[in-house]
Amino acid sequence: MTATDRSIELINIAAQAAADRLAHDIIAYDVSDVLSITDAFLLASAPNDRQVKSIVDEIEERLLKELGAKPVRREGDRDARWILLDYVDIVVHVQHNEERVFYALERLWKDCPEIALPEDAVKTKGKAEEHAKLNGGTEGERS
């Protein structure tokens, strides 16, 4: 089984929205072979809580505007360290860079195929590391 065309469309719009809000290290996995509850995961991160919220808000707005899609669940708003949007077909995880490193979701899903993303999203690879170097590696103290 592979992710449906609808799931791929949702992922691509969400990835572009995240890239437009300067998310870091955007990646998507087709998890349809290992999970029965969803087709795909989108992972993105940001260096501070405010940007995490901004990315999530943009993803939610774009998916509603372009595809009429609303999340069935949104979790993590209070602290904005890891916000999850569940669209049933896809699940979007936007994490603070520190949570992204700590939980390392990529390790869990590394055996699943990656989903091709828009060029702007692909260009975000390595941005978290680049940002940490520019800020002396102390993101948590600056957020």
Side-chain angles (χ1 to χ4, degrees):
M1 189 160 56
T2 60
T4 64
D5 290 342
R6 168 86 173 160
S7 297
I8 301 298
E9 188 176 21
L10 288 163
I11 286 287
N12 279 303
I13 291 170
Q16 184 62 54
D20 290 348
R21 287 286 184 237
L22 307 177
H24 297 166
D25 301 314
I26 303 168
I27 192 165
Y29 293 101
D30 180 338
V31 296
S32 61
D33 281 341
V34 293
L35 292 177
S36 61
I37 58 171
T38 193
D39 281 349
F41 280 166
L42 180 72
L43 310 175
S45 53
N48 61 61
D49 306 348
R50 210 169 342 149
Q51 192 174 355
V52 167
K53 280 190 98 129
S54 175
I55 292 164
V56 168
D57 290 344
E58 183 68 14
I59 290 170
E60 206 169 359
E61 185 178 310
R62 285 266 191 87
L63 288 176
L64 180 61
K65 182 180 176 186
E66 295 183 31
L67 296 176
K70 292 182 184 180
V72 295
R73 185 174 59 161
R74 179 174 170 154
E75 294 182 5
D77 272 330
R78 192 169 54 101
D79 294 331
R81 302 287 294 181
W82 179 352
I83 299 177
L84 178 144
L85 295 173
D86 183 350
Y87 285 89
V88 180
D89 295 325
I90 70 166
V91 176
V92 177
H93 300 269
V94 182
Q95 299 173 299
H96 189 287
N97 287 343
E98 292 172 355
E99 269 67 12
R100 180 86 177 257
V101 170
F102 183 79
Y103 289 102
L105 296 178
E106 289 91 339
R107 273 195 323 232
L108 293 173
W109 307 112
K110 69 178 185 236
D111 294 332
C112 295
E114 281 189 41
I115 296 172
L117 297 175
E119 187 177 335
D120 290 342
V122 172
K123 289 179 183 178
T124 66
K125 188 171 186 168
K127 291 289 184 184
E129 186 176 336
E130 183 180 308
H131 180 82
K133 284 180 184 174
L134 288 173
N135 290 294
T138 57
E139 289 182 41
E141 295 170 20
R142 297 190 194 309
S143 296

